[in-house]
Amino acid sequence: MLNCHRNSRHHNLRHHKCKCLLFAAVAALFSSTGFGKTQVLATYIPLADHYPAIVAYERYRDAMEHADFNIQQMRNWDLLRAHFRSGLADMSFMMSPLALDTYAKDGNFRWLGLMHRDGNALAINAVLEADIQLPPHRQARKPDAQLAHAIAEYHRATGRPVEIAVPHILSTHTVVLYQYLQSHGVAMSLATGTSLPARALAIAPSQSPAFIRDKSNRRLPAAFEQSLPFADIVETQNYGRIAWYSKDIIVHPLGHVECLVIATDAALTNKRTAIREVNRYIRRAASDIETARTAGGPALDEIIRLIRKHIPSHTETAIRASLNPSLRVINYESLDVDIEGLNTIMGIALRAGLLANPVNLHEFSEDLEAGDE
């Protein structure tokens, strides 16, 4: 009788232990799959512009209480825009002229803040480099008249334009390029079939290094205005040179406006608390990057490791060059909505013919800290 009691007690203990293990396993599964959280999907392009999204995903996804945060990499800007417009993503990180044009067409999303400031550069191939004198150190390279005059002279001598790759015609990069050329009296076209000294040509950022290398092989001058780290890639691999950085074209004490953080109206209505949480952690990740680039050493090594986990094509050397604290050619600070800063970009885009009409920026922006879900 005693043995039966002991066996029964042993069975109950085993049964209780199994139930505990089962509950733990189920809890772990729910936690790992974001059970009970609101799904938030953000789309991005593999650029230094969007590094904070990667760091936020890697470091803080599990710490988020409300959002089951995921990121999806897009191959190009048109795909990113189409994906966002179709409602397949809640959030996206989009170049300001492209976002303004999309808002003018759709009006069903809002601007929450900035992903970064500054962050693009003009790289030239060997043919153009031969016609100008570049300082050996990148810190000293400024947007003087040399390059504009070389472009104008090539057009005068040959009747052909110098092609300059941009990530998309509706890009901040095109705005920066237009502003530089206009300031030195050089005209730029946005389409084939026109005969002006410079022609902006939409080429995916990842293809732009090959673009200028191919032009060099054919002894043709070429350049690209792209986001980091692609200018750093051609500089560090020695088949192109950075001529200047966008921060010296559109000068702003905090850095010029570039990529915007946007979210659909539907997400802001139905997922406001989760969207707010994601946005806050993106800002925290941006601060992490700023701290790491200044500290260097293991802190920066870890940031680079997280970035390369998602974008292995960005070499360690190029990432370090892009985040160089001495150059500070991209920064992840002061990321709140900046009406004045975006208005500057919009004004140039209107003059360049990139945008047909201005957008009401106050209606376009959204204060995430006001109100609850």
Side-chain angles (χ1 to χ4, degrees):
M1 202 65 177
L2 183 60
N3 286 339
C4 291
H5 177 73
R6 285 178 176 173
N7 288 340
S8 176
R9 184 183 178 193
H10 181 65
H11 173 77
N12 289 338
L13 287 172
R14 287 182 61 191
H15 181 67
H16 178 72
K17 184 176 181 181
C18 287
K19 286 174 65 178
C20 290
L21 290 173
L22 177 61
F23 289 152
V26 171
L29 176 63
F30 285 170
S31 176
S32 65
T33 57
F35 181 81
K37 297 182 181 182
T38 303
Q39 291 186 358
V40 174
L41 175 64
T43 52
Y44 75 101
I45 298 287
L47 304 168
D49 305 14
H50 301 168
Y51 286 169
I54 292 172
V55 175
Y57 174 83
E58 286 292 334
R59 282 193 166 173
Y60 301 119
R61 181 173 184 260
D62 291 341
M64 295 184 190
E65 296 180 2
H66 306 286
D68 177 18
F69 179 48
N70 285 282
I71 54 176
Q72 183 176 357
Q73 187 178 124
M74 299 281 108
R75 293 193 305 274
N76 58 60
W77 288 106
D78 283 329
L79 181 61
L80 180 140
R81 173 154 84 161
H83 198 85
F84 183 75
R85 291 179 75 180
S86 67
L88 295 175
D90 301 298
M91 301 177 71
S92 193
F93 317 120
M94 193 179 290
M95 297 176 297
S96 46
L98 187 62
L100 290 166
D101 179 76
T102 306
Y103 180 75
K105 291 179 169 65
D106 295 342
N108 60 358
F109 65 94
R110 294 296 179 271
W111 165 39
L112 310 182
L114 308 181
M115 197 65 179
H116 67 104
R117 290 177 179 270
D118 298 334
N120 64 74
L122 187 87
I124 60 175
N125 70 353
V127 180
L128 270 179
E129 185 187 357
D131 292 332
I132 65 176
Q133 296 293 320
L134 282 179
H137 299 295
R138 287 179 296 160
Q139 290 93 329
R141 298 177 195 170
K142 301 300 178 184
D144 59 26
Q146 286 189 88
L147 180 60
H149 290 170
I151 290 170
E153 176 56 27
Y154 177 80
H155 181 257
R156 187 199 64 78
T158 67
R160 297 194 296 269
V162 172
E163 292 186 331
I164 304 174
V166 293
H168 195 283
I169 293 301
L170 292 169
S171 66
T172 321
H173 312 66
T174 312
V175 167
V176 169
L177 180 60
Y178 170 84
Q179 182 76 353
Y180 166 73
L181 292 171
Q182 185 193 53
S183 69
H184 295 291
V186 177
M188 178 183 79
S189 67
L190 303 174
T192 58
T194 55
S195 180
L196 294 175
R199 178 185 297 155
L201 187 67
I203 292 180
S206 61
Q207 300 302 313
S208 55
F211 166 75
I212 65 168
R213 184 164 52 187
D214 177 64
K215 292 283 190 178
S216 289
N217 291 339
R218 292 188 284 145
R219 304 303 303 161
L220 295 172
F224 69 69
E225 175 76 16
Q226 297 280 8
S227 296
L228 303 177
F230 292 100
D232 295 304
I233 286 173
V234 301
E235 176 94 15
T236 56
Q237 295 184 7
N238 203 35
Y239 59 90
R241 289 288 178 268
I242 295 169
W244 40 256
Y245 292 99
S246 63
K247 71 180 182 66
D248 297 314
I249 303 293
I250 301 178
V251 180
H252 188 286
L254 301 175
H256 69 73
V257 166
E258 234 291 353
C259 283
L260 310 183
V261 179
I262 56 177
T264 65
D265 287 348
L268 288 168
T269 298
N270 301 317
K271 306 179 179 183
R272 189 177 187 86
T273 299
I275 296 291
R276 181 194 293 120
E277 182 177 50
V278 168
N279 199 49
R280 286 173 176 172
Y281 273 111
I282 287 173
R283 305 284 182 89
R284 183 168 174 178
S287 180
D288 290 352
I289 294 173
E290 288 292 343
T291 299
R293 78 194 297 188
T294 301
L300 182 56
D301 292 344
E302 176 61 11
I303 293 292
I304 292 171
R305 186 188 70 80
L306 297 179
I307 292 167
R308 299 200 71 240
K309 184 176 177 180
H310 292 260
I311 318 177
S313 61
H314 288 195
T315 65
E316 180 179 340
T317 301
I319 295 171
R320 288 185 184 278
S322 298
L323 299 180
N324 186 321
S326 299
L327 284 173
R328 284 196 63 77
V329 294
I330 187 171
N331 81 76
Y332 306 97
E333 297 178 329
S334 303
L335 302 182
D336 290 335
V337 164
D338 180 355
I339 298 287
E340 181 184 352
L342 183 54
N343 192 56
T344 296
I345 300 296
M346 184 170 69
I348 301 171
L350 288 165
R351 292 195 296 275
L354 301 180
L355 299 175
N357 296 295
V359 164
N360 185 321
L361 300 183
H362 292 281
E363 291 181 359
F364 180 36
S365 61
E366 175 81 8
D367 182 3
L368 268 184
E369 300 306 316
D372 294 319
E373 196 173 65

